Amino acid sequence: DGGITQSPKYLFRKEGQNVTLSCEQNLNHDAMYWYRQDPGQGLRLIYYSQIVNDFQKGDIAEGYSVSREKKESFPLTVTSAQKNPTAFYLCASSIPRGRNTEAFFGQGTRLTVV
Amino acid sequence: AQSVTQLDSHVSVSEGTPVLLRCNYSSSYSPSLFWYVQHPNKGLQLLLKYTSAATLVKGINGFEAEFKKSETSFHLTKPSAHMSDAAEYFCVVSVSGTYKYIFGTGTRLKVLA
């Protein structure tokens, strides 16, 4: 089945530690996205990538980094510079730009700082 | 600039009664609009999308939405709520000419037995 796989489902991070969240898709989508979800705030865009080896900052990129070396993969690293990383992280993908093209979402990773 | 406003953060209905979740949008262009549903600790699932072919859009699980340009609204409705409809719902507009999406802050639907 085609879809987006995020791993792990739950992740615990110690203060000052970098962690990487995995996102893999087999939908052959060019565009991929990372969103952060906090209660009552909807989804906020961290980074997005329209094509391999290219990505752009979203609205809340500080303290995060990404790479896009393969079309299928778009990992997100939460660095120690991110002061409040505890949140639910969602990865998404979509087909090339066009009207009415929806985004497809993974099942999310819940990151908690301990 | 595009934006989307969900007018209610929480909605409670009794099982079997109609559901109305309200969404207003702002767009300089003819917008692309979507409704998604999210169950606790899950990803988002597409309910329906506005394609501009018809103003009344039917989606999955009995949901539908009506695009009203004069009111800049895209409200989500369902004739009869089911317990399984309890979830958070997001209205989304895509940013014209880009790959980006803008999400509303969500409406949490509670269904009472």
Side-chain angles (χ1 to χ4, degrees), chain B residues 2-112:
Chain B
Q2 283 92 342
S3 66
V4 62
T5 303
Q6 291 184 245
L7 298 167
D8 306 292
S9 59
H10 293 84
V11 170
S12 291
V13 300
S14 297
E15 190 176 21
T17 65
V19 175
L20 170 64
L21 305 182
R22 300 182 295 165
C23 173
N24 285 353
Y25 70 91
S26 173
S27 177
S28 303
Y29 305 93
S30 181
S32 296
L33 293 160
F34 312 85
W35 275 100
Y36 284 84
V37 61
Q38 183 183 33
H39 292 276
N41 292 311
K42 299 291 186 183
L44 276 68
Q45 180 185 16
L46 181 70
L47 281 177
L48 50 81
K49 61 183 180 181
Y50 170 62
T51 65
S52 77
T55 56
L56 184 61
V57 182
K58 294 189 182 297
I60 62 172
N61 301 335
F63 284 94
E64 61 183 37
E66 187 170 8
F67 174 74
K68 292 187 176 180
K69 187 175 181 178
S70 61
E71 300 177 9
T72 62
S73 69
F74 190 56
H75 301 335
L76 183 70
T77 61
K78 183 173 181 177
S80 177
H82 191 271
M83 296 297 290
S84 60
D85 294 328
E88 189 152 23
Y89 293 79
F90 292 94
C91 183
V92 182
V93 63
S94 65
V95 180
S96 178
T98 78
Y99 288 92
K100 295 173 70 175
Y101 301 86
I102 296 174
F103 289 77
T105 52
T107 298
R108 186 166 297 278
L109 176 65
K110 186 175 182 179
V111 182
L112 307 171

Side-chain angles (χ1 to χ4, degrees), chain A residues 9 17 30 34 40 43 46 67 70-71 73-74 77 90:
Chain A
K9 187 170 183 178
Q17 191 177 49
D30 284 318
W34 274 105
L43 276 67
I46 304 172
S67 63
K70 299 186 301 182
K71 187 176 186 177
S73 179
F74 192 42
T77 297
L90 286 159

